[in-house]
């Protein structure tokens, strides 16, 4: 049981937000009056797409009771998802915690749009290390070795691409440091690496990952450490980054753990989505928590407390506080 007064304050505030009568826009409905809930994810080969599918599987199981039909859509990734949430084109999305922060505060790639004050965190998920995979014959053993090499930076709109740009800025680099820059999607990058089209691919992702498994199985390739003063400064100065490791033994030819840094995957929504709809998603996941963790290897080590304590850069949605208070996962406040 969590007794932190700070956490209690956050949750009580979010529950009071519900009681204040915030207006919500009507949600799209099927012809049979079933509400359609869309969750933006990522590429078909990444973790976000099966993760969104896992959430929808649990929600749809109780469709007759709550009248919600959940659909997980493959998308370009975090930045694209957050723009879609802001525009009302999606109800929920899986995004990196760093881009959740920037969208809510109107910084970095969201500076032109300004803060999205309607953005709300639902809960955080697995850790996502910043991952560099290089051909074994490329001579790349450290991040600095990427200079003058051919790399894939990821498609525009992806968190993969955006986080790399942050790293390059921290190191004082530009894309001109590389011999060639490709903008391949996550589904294309493993083949490009093994076809010798690129020397390295760069991916912010949970592990194990299908794309990286493909790359390390189909050709000789290695995971590259991402460390140094610039990375230490990033982690120290930005609360949404943490030092991370990629466990050894997950991929062929990579027996040692790899030090790097990373973010959290998070589920987000908007204040425009009905509170009861979001509540049913939270309830579906946490009422079936052991099953949820078994639906993908990246989810196996999830902890309920960490999911509400870490990685949520926007305010927590009232539904999360409501569920955790109702189920006793956090203590009720002591009377004054």
């Amino acid at each position: 049981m969590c007794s932190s007064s700070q956490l209690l304050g956050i949750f009580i505030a979010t529950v009071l937000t519900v009681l204040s009568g915030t207006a919500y826009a009507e949600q799209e409905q099927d012809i049979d009056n079933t509400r359609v809930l869309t969750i933006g994810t990522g590429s078909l080969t990444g973790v976000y797409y099966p993760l969104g599918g896992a959430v929808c599987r649990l929600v749809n199981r109780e469709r007759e009771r709550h009248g919600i039909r959940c659909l997980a859509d493959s998308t370009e990734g975090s930045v694209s998802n957050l723009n879609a949430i802001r525009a009302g084109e999606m109800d929920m999305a899986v995004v990196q915690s760093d881009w959740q922060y920037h969208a809510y505060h109107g910084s970095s790639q969201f500076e032109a749009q300004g803060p999205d004050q309607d953005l709300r965190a639902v809960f955080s998920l697995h850790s996502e290390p910043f991952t560099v995979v290089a051909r074994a014959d490329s001579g790349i053993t450290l991040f600095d070795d990427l200079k003058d090499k051919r790399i894939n930076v990821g498609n525009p709109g992806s968190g993969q691409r955006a986080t790399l740009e942050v790293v390059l800025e921290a190191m004082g680099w530009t894309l001109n440091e590389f011999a060639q820059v490709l903008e391949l999607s996550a589904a294309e990058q493993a083949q490009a690496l093994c076809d010798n089209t690129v020397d390295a691919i760069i991916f912010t992702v949970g592990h194990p990952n299908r794309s990286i498994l493909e790359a390390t199985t189909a050709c000789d390739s290695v995971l590259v450490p991402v460390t140094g003063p610039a990375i230490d400064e990033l982690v120290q100065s930005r609360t949404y980054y943490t030092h991370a490791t990629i466990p050894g033994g997950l991929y062929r030819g990579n027996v040692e753990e790899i030090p790097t840094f990373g973010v959290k995957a998070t589920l987000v929504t908007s204040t425009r989505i009905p509170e009861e709809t979001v509540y049913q998603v939270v309830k579906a996941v946490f009422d079936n928590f052991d099953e949820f963790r078994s639906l993908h290897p990246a989810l196996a080590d999830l902890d309920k407390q960490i999911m509400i304590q870490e990685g949520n850069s926007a305010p927590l949605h009232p539904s999360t506080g409501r569920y955790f208070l109702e189920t006793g996962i956090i203590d009720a406040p002591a009377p004054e």
Side-chain angles (χ1 to χ4, degrees):
M1 301 285 284
C2 176
S3 58
S4 167
S5 59
Q6 183 176 12
L7 273 176
L8 289 171
I10 292 172
F11 283 124
I12 295 302
T14 55
V15 171
L16 288 175
T17 301
V18 178
L19 300 178
S20 69
T22 303
Y24 294 95
E26 287 188 2
Q27 194 173 22
E28 180 185 355
Q29 294 185 331
D30 278 343
I31 57 174
D32 63 356
N33 213 36
T34 298
R35 289 177 179 149
V36 178
L37 175 76
T38 55
I39 299 181
T41 60
S43 72
L44 295 176
T45 60
V47 176
Y48 284 10
Y49 184 71
L51 192 156
V55 173
C56 284
R57 174 179 173 179
L58 298 176
V59 172
N60 290 336
R61 182 182 295 170
E62 297 290 323
R63 177 179 171 182
E64 291 187 4
R65 176 180 61 80
H66 50 55
I68 300 167
R69 181 164 68 94
C70 182
L71 300 175
D73 290 340
S74 177
T75 71
E76 297 298 324
S78 293
V79 176
S80 176
N81 287 347
L82 286 159
N83 284 327
I85 290 284
R86 183 192 294 252
E89 297 168 355
M90 283 181 182
D91 303 314
M92 289 185 166
V94 186
V95 303
Q96 292 178 198
S97 57
D98 49 349
W99 298 111
Q100 179 192 142
Y101 175 93
H102 289 305
Y104 181 73
H105 291 279
S107 52
S108 188
Q109 294 201 14
F110 300 96
E111 185 174 1
Q113 299 103 306
D116 182 3
Q117 296 184 343
D118 290 324
L119 185 67
R120 293 293 181 269
V122 183
F123 46 73
S124 65
L125 293 153
H126 58 283
S127 295
E128 297 191 295
F130 183 82
T131 305
V132 178
V133 186
R135 290 178 57 86
D137 60 6
S138 67
I140 300 171
T141 59
L142 299 171
F143 191 88
D144 284 350
D145 297 331
L146 290 173
K147 277 191 174 183
D148 300 319
K149 301 294 185 180
R150 303 164 300 163
I151 68 166
N152 180 49
V153 299
N155 53 284
S158 67
Q160 168 186 2
R161 168 72 169 270
T163 301
L164 171 61
E165 291 174 351
V166 171
V167 173
L168 296 183
E169 182 180 2
M171 298 184 69
W173 291 15
T174 70
L175 292 177
N176 293 328
E177 310 292 341
F178 307 107
Q180 187 178 6
V181 173
L182 278 73
E183 297 182 328
L184 303 174
S185 70
E188 301 170 298
Q189 61 184 2
Q191 186 67 45
L193 187 76
C194 291
D195 285 347
N196 200 19
T197 303
V198 295
D199 299 305
I201 59 178
I202 301 169
F203 207 9
T204 304
V205 69
H207 294 276
N209 171 261
R210 176 180 168 187
S211 179
I212 295 173
L213 182 64
E214 179 185 347
T216 54
T217 301
C219 57
D220 292 335
S221 53
V222 294
L223 274 65
V224 179
V226 183
T227 58
I231 301 302
D232 291 340
E233 175 62 24
L234 269 182
V235 172
Q236 183 177 359
S237 63
R238 309 187 188 194
T239 57
Y240 42 78
Y241 289 142
T242 61
H243 287 293
T245 58
I246 303 169
L250 292 181
Y251 307 106
R252 184 178 73 89
N254 293 271
V255 297
E256 302 292 335
E257 69 176 25
I258 302 297
T260 180
F261 78 105
V263 294
K264 287 275 190 181
T266 64
L267 185 67
V268 299
T269 189
S270 169
T271 60
R272 294 186 296 269
I273 307 307
E275 183 270 338
E276 184 62 25
T277 299
V278 181
Y279 177 81
Q280 293 301 332
V281 174
V282 175
K283 179 177 174 61
V285 169
F286 288 104
D287 277 1
N288 302 280
F289 194 61
D290 289 340
E291 180 180 356
F292 180 64
R293 293 195 303 180
S294 73
L295 294 178
H296 192 280
L299 306 177
D301 295 328
L302 291 182
D303 178 273
K304 292 179 181 180
Q305 294 292 340
I306 291 176
M307 291 169 72
I308 60 173
Q309 291 173 325
E310 297 181 4
N312 300 303
S313 308
L316 281 168
H317 193 277
S319 299
T320 305
R322 171 185 162 191
Y323 177 86
F324 273 62
L325 284 171
E326 287 178 354
T327 55
I329 297 175
I330 65 168
D331 294 328
E336 295 184 1

